[in-house]
Amino acid sequence: MFNQAIVRVGIRYGVLCGLVSFALVAILYFIGYNPFGDIGRLTYVPIPVFIFLAIRYFKQYNDTELSLGKGLRVGLSVAFYNALSAAMLVFLFIYMVGSEILLAHVAEMKALLEETREEQIEIIGEESFSNVYNALDSLTPSMQAADFFFGG
């Protein structure tokens, strides 16, 4: 069940992908964009590339008769280690840069919620909308890193 080769390949390519994703977050921040907003979806681009590279490496050097199950496990391993390493790096980045990155993100999210207030209230209700809106004020670096980990 536990295949050490899959884990090693997952760690190698997952951490590399996490570093590239984090580098994209840092670049977006330093050129003036909100890396946690809509433009932050750009950080998902390296994931399929590194999953492909990891499966190709695994097939070439470990198991030439790659089954669907092993291919899926390699891909999930890469995705997990990518999310873990990128989330840890984003957490450290938020602490190093300071709270202005979170304040800018909260301001952008509040403006977006105000723009779509009627539609949001129609979908989730007034009470849920006000809970979400008020919860933005209590956003912490660890919450943002967890959001980054879970792909939010």
Side-chain angles (χ1 to χ4, degrees):
M1 222 15 124
F2 180 75
N3 191 334
Q4 209 172 24
I6 290 174
V7 173
R8 281 195 307 262
V9 170
I11 289 172
R12 174 183 295 140
Y13 285 93
V15 171
L16 285 173
C17 185
L19 289 171
V20 171
S21 295
F22 170 72
L24 288 172
V25 166
I27 289 168
L28 288 173
Y29 174 73
F30 288 123
I31 63 174
Y33 290 105
N34 176 9
F36 306 124
D38 282 340
I39 194 77
R41 292 188 181 136
L42 184 64
T43 61
Y44 297 142
V45 171
I47 297 171
V49 172
F50 278 92
I51 288 174
F52 170 77
L53 292 173
I55 291 173
R56 189 180 75 176
Y57 178 87
F58 184 80
K59 184 175 180 179
Q60 189 174 10
Y61 293 106
N62 291 308
D63 191 359
T64 56
E65 296 296 321
L66 185 66
S67 66
L68 176 65
K70 283 187 180 177
L72 284 173
R73 289 193 310 206
V74 170
L76 286 173
S77 178
V78 170
F80 173 76
Y81 288 110
N82 164 50
L84 185 66
S85 60
M88 289 187 318
L89 290 170
V90 164
F91 179 76
L92 293 173
F93 182 69
I94 292 171
Y95 268 113
M96 289 175 63
V97 169
S99 64
E100 65 268 1
I101 190 170
L102 281 181
L103 295 175
H105 177 61
V106 167
E108 184 177 314
M109 290 295 99
K110 282 188 173 185
L112 182 64
L113 282 174
E114 284 298 327
E115 268 181 31
T116 60
R117 183 181 185 91
E118 288 86 25
E119 295 93 17
Q120 296 292 333
I121 289 174
E122 188 176 302
I123 294 170
I124 64 174
E126 177 74 39
E127 184 179 337
S128 294
F129 178 82
S130 63
N131 289 342
V132 168
Y133 192 83
N134 293 332
L136 284 173
D137 291 328
S138 63
L139 187 66
T140 63
S142 59
M143 291 169 62
Q144 187 61 37
D147 185 52
F148 202 79
F149 177 80
F150 291 113

